[in-house]
Amino acid sequence: MHVDKIAYPDYEYTSLVYLTDHGVDFTGGRFEFRDGQASSFLEPKTGRLLVFSSGSENSHRVEKVETGTRYALTIAFTCKKDKGSAALLDTKRHLAELRKPARETK
């Protein structure tokens, strides 16, 4: 089990879009949420979207894939302005970096 926010402190929400079907493309690989001693399992289906807050209230894991291949697209969301996509996609800043002279290497 793990908590996303512990490994990635900037995560506020985590999402997965499943690209393959449990029982068709693979076996095993179910998504498990744990609440105390109780577990809830989600079986992946192509196109299914799973969204949850990334804190300790959503401890989770993925079972080992037994056969086949399990594909999912994971997307994390933050509420911190300096960590969001605007900071990553700041075109003016990136163009300025590209225009800087290359550093000489020895």
Side-chain angles (χ1 to χ4, degrees):
M1 290 289 166
H2 72 270
V3 173
D4 290 343
K5 195 157 185 71
I6 292 172
Y8 307 100
D10 297 324
Y11 284 19
E12 299 295 332
Y13 300 95
T14 304
S15 66
L16 292 95
V17 177
Y18 290 103
L19 306 175
T20 48
D21 291 318
H22 179 267
V24 175
D25 301 305
F26 64 94
T27 60
R30 296 180 305 167
F31 194 95
E32 177 185 3
F33 282 112
R34 174 84 46 93
D35 183 14
Q37 295 301 313
S39 290
S40 299
F41 290 91
L42 179 89
E43 291 186 354
K45 291 193 120 344
T46 300
R48 179 173 279 167
L49 173 65
L50 173 62
V51 181
F52 55 94
S53 56
S54 302
S56 59
E57 67 279 5
N58 284 312
S59 177
H60 61 278
R61 73 180 189 101
V62 174
E63 294 178 316
K64 180 180 178 183
V65 173
E66 296 168 359
T67 63
T69 304
R70 174 189 184 272
Y71 290 107
L73 174 64
T74 302
I75 306 165
F77 297 90
T78 185
C79 296
K80 297 177 181 176
K81 289 183 180 182
D82 65 328
K83 302 294 183 179
S85 61
L88 295 174
L89 300 175
D90 183 346
T91 306
K92 288 180 183 177
R93 183 173 55 88
H94 289 292
L95 287 174
E97 287 295 320
L98 289 172
R99 291 184 182 120
K100 285 183 181 178
R103 290 187 228 172
E104 290 184 22
T105 58
K106 294 182 181 182

